[in-house]
Amino acid sequence: MIKVYRGELLHFLADPAKVALQESYQHIEDGLLIIKDGLVEQVGEASELLPLLDDGIEVIHYENGLMMPGFIDTHVHYPQTEMIASYGEQLLEWLQNYTFPFERQFSDLEHGKKIAEFFLTQLLDAGTTTALVFGTVHKESVEAFFTIAQQKKLRMICGKVLMDQNCPDYLSDTAQTGYEDSKALIEKWHKTDRLQYAITPRFAPTCSTEQLNKAGQLLAENPSVYLHTHISENTNEIAWVSELFPDSKGYLDVYDQSNLLGRRSVFAHGVHLHDHECKRLGETESSIAFCPSSNLFLGSGLFNLKQAQKYDVNVGYGTDIGAGTTFSMLSTLNEGYKTQQLRAEKLSPFQSFYLATLGGARALDLEGTIGNFTKGAEADFIFLDYHATPLMDRRMHHCKDLSEKLFTLSMLGDERHVKATHIMGERVQTAIAVTT
Ligand SMILES: Nc1nc2[nH]cnc2c(=O)[nH]1
Ligand SMILES: [Zn+2]
């Protein structure tokens, strides 16, 4: 089945930090996106492609806005949806006081499904079409999430949290049960439709060495699954890790000793990484999820994007709900820009949108599958409206070029500007059904 969309188009072909800017993206003022059976067939100038279309093919015209690949959220916790905006703490106290008690509810499959439905609707409304998602320690939380994501035909990655120490008994697994539950979930869900599994040790403080080693064993047994965890987010957390693991050479080394680094390993935050750690992430092709709204909300620090780029580490953006304060990738770009300003570094609008799309796909080792409009990629894409709000409308009238338009979208944009979200070429219904 062929579907054709017409309008202004943007997608990235390379990292603007690494090649000449003009080579990093394709921008077509009046373009066509031709989709065949849910996959990108062709993009190009409307004037060239329209005459080649068979008679009678409907062309959906999106005007006064920009079509681009769906956003990719490389780190988010679906069970924390309803605890967003919990006041006043930094990481370790925030986990104890709010997060752990809250995650207890996810032993209930039906509760998980209800929250997954709401969470995924929020993501789609924000223009995010793929995410790397934490469940809770309960296998039911992942069962619930994948069930709903499958119904919506989404490309989603999720995993059951592993934690066997320094957490409440009601949230604790063991090295062995964590291994067995994860293995069963991999067998049932990994590569089912567009779903993929991530082995998910919460972070070093809540995992024994035995558990981390079991995670490494499971990863070696299933090389196509992901590894998803947190690292170096908060200075008290880092000090705690060095007390808990006195034999390690540092935070990253705890994971490295258990063989958890690699091309499909995603480490959230990395706010306080040493150069040698960044170098090791780069040489193992591991990725970092940059989560600016969370880092500011929890007072964790200012991510050093330049350091990651220097060591060739793949970086994607993460919202990190519920420490993050928005589902919107556009708002997250805003926070990312301001984070870099506070480091006296410039984050260009092209770099921002690269990180939110192709950069995210690369961080998830999914280039060619999602993240741009290369032939054969899954046609998950969005239409951003330049005039959805009066303020954006006024500002846009003064924009002279694409760079200014992108910057305006990233500073003033949010869910209101995501006019349409498409999954495998089909526009999806994104009206929010508020559930209690
Ligand atoms: N932001 C954040 N950091 C963590 N480190 C360990 N668990 C968490 C979590 O749930 N959120
Ligand atoms: Zn997180």
Side-chain angles (χ1 to χ4, degrees):
M1 224 249 295
I2 302 279
K3 291 219 140 213
V4 183
Y5 295 88
R6 178 176 183 177
E8 187 181 343
L9 271 162
L10 172 72
H11 68 132
F12 286 87
L13 308 167
D15 183 345
K18 294 199 186 144
V19 300
L21 180 61
Q22 295 307 321
E23 286 167 28
S24 71
Y25 66 90
Q26 183 180 26
H27 175 233
I28 309 176
E29 289 279 357
D30 182 15
L32 275 202
L33 170 60
I34 303 175
I35 296 162
K36 189 175 173 195
D37 299 330
L39 306 179
V40 175
E41 179 69 13
Q42 203 172 3
V43 282
E45 296 284 348
S47 60
E48 288 171 18
L49 296 179
L50 279 171
L52 308 178
L53 293 179
D54 288 345
D55 287 346
I57 287 194
E58 184 193 10
V59 177
I60 295 164
H61 200 170
Y62 283 139
E63 294 177 276
N64 299 314
L66 186 61
M67 285 190 275
M68 66 167 63
F71 295 132
I72 297 170
D73 187 339
T74 61
H75 178 68
V76 59
H77 300 247
Y78 100 83
Q80 295 176 12
T81 299
E82 289 187 332
M83 56 158 289
I84 190 169
S86 295
Y87 174 74
E89 307 289 7
Q90 294 217 346
L91 176 64
L92 298 178
E93 298 74 24
W94 176 84
L95 286 171
Q96 290 294 338
N97 297 346
Y98 297 116
T99 315
F100 290 159
F102 207 86
E103 290 192 1
R104 186 174 197 170
Q105 305 166 82
F106 287 80
S107 59
D108 176 359
L109 180 70
E110 292 310 312
H111 179 72
K113 284 189 193 167
K114 215 166 57 177
I115 302 300
E117 175 69 40
F118 181 80
F119 168 89
L120 288 170
T121 305
Q122 290 279 313
L123 279 191
L124 294 171
D125 282 346
T128 297
T129 48
T130 288
L132 174 58
V133 182
F134 258 66
T136 63
V137 75
H138 316 96
K139 57 185 183 308
E140 293 81 1
S141 70
V142 176
E143 187 71 29
F145 182 81
F146 278 147
T147 301
I148 305 299
Q150 185 181 36
Q151 285 168 9
K152 295 182 185 296
K153 302 184 166 57
L154 301 176
R155 178 165 290 284
M156 286 285 154
I157 311 165
C158 187
K160 179 205 110 67
V161 167
L162 302 171
M163 52 180 177
D164 67 348
Q165 64 177 27
N166 297 315
C167 60
D169 286 347
Y170 60 77
L171 274 194
S172 183
D173 59 8
T174 67
Q176 189 58 28
T177 62
Y179 172 89
E180 285 165 7
D181 286 351
S182 303
K183 185 169 188 287
L185 286 165
I186 291 169
E187 280 162 11
K188 176 161 181 194
W189 289 106
H190 184 59
K191 294 190 177 171
T192 299
D193 296 336
R194 294 209 289 161
L195 307 174
Q196 291 167 284
Y197 194 81
I199 299 167
T200 309
R202 178 166 217 123
F203 67 155
T206 56
C207 298
S208 66
T209 300
E210 187 191 357
Q211 180 159 64
L212 292 172
N213 287 342
K214 275 283 190 200
Q217 181 191 333
L218 192 56
L219 193 57
E221 289 164 356
N222 298 274
S224 67
V225 306
Y226 291 85
L227 185 286
H228 185 197
T229 189
H230 298 92
I231 193 167
S232 298
E233 177 177 5
N234 168 289
T235 50
N236 291 339
E237 169 210 16
I238 295 166
W240 193 21
V241 170
S242 58
E243 279 169 33
L244 289 167
F245 298 89
D247 297 336
S248 78
K249 293 200 277 297
Y251 200 152
L252 184 69
D253 191 50
V254 174
Y255 297 138
D256 207 354
Q257 285 185 15
S258 295
N259 297 316
L260 299 180
L261 278 56
R263 200 179 164 80
R264 293 195 166 190
S265 298
V266 180
F267 296 90
H269 306 299
V271 173
H272 306 283
L273 290 170
H274 297 286
D275 277 352
H276 67 87
E277 294 179 307
C278 255
K279 181 164 177 283
R280 182 74 184 136
L281 287 171
E283 69 196 20
T284 55
E285 300 181 276
S286 304
S287 302
I288 297 176
F290 170 26
C291 307
S293 101
S294 164
N295 296 158
L296 296 172
F297 180 74
L298 290 179
S300 302
L302 306 172
F303 176 66
N304 190 343
L305 179 61
K306 282 279 178 305
Q307 182 194 35
Q309 287 171 335
K310 178 176 168 194
Y311 291 103
D312 251 338
V313 184
N314 291 315
V315 176
Y317 263 112
T319 59
D320 193 28
I321 296 292
T325 51
T326 180
F327 277 88
S328 167
M329 189 55 70
L330 293 174
S331 302
T332 303
L333 301 187
N334 173 319
E335 308 249 8
Y337 174 78
K338 291 174 182 170
T339 298
Q340 296 310 300
Q341 281 285 65
L342 284 167
R343 299 191 64 91
E345 300 283 2
K346 278 204 176 67
L347 176 44
S348 82
F350 288 101
Q351 188 69 33
S352 293
F353 279 88
Y354 162 79
L355 291 173
T357 56
L358 183 59
R362 287 178 170 179
L364 301 181
D365 195 25
L366 285 172
E367 184 173 8
T369 303
I370 53 169
N372 65 11
F373 294 141
T374 192
K375 184 176 162 66
E378 296 166 351
D380 293 349
F381 71 98
I382 57 178
F383 172 60
L384 299 175
D385 182 349
Y386 288 143
H387 305 288
T389 53
L391 182 61
M392 172 98 73
D393 177 51
R394 280 177 183 259
R395 181 64 183 87
M396 279 292 172
H397 283 110
H398 299 280
C399 288
K400 292 181 290 296
D401 56 22
L402 177 62
S403 174
E404 271 196 62
K405 289 199 282 189
L406 291 176
F407 190 60
T408 301
L409 279 172
S410 67
M411 287 303 108
L412 303 181
D414 55 33
E415 290 88 342
R416 293 170 296 175
H417 303 90
V418 181
K419 242 341 189 234
T421 301
H422 299 76
I423 296 300
M424 301 291 280
E426 299 284 341
R427 185 169 176 170
V428 289
Q429 176 53 266
T430 59
I432 300 172
V434 178
T435 48
T436 51

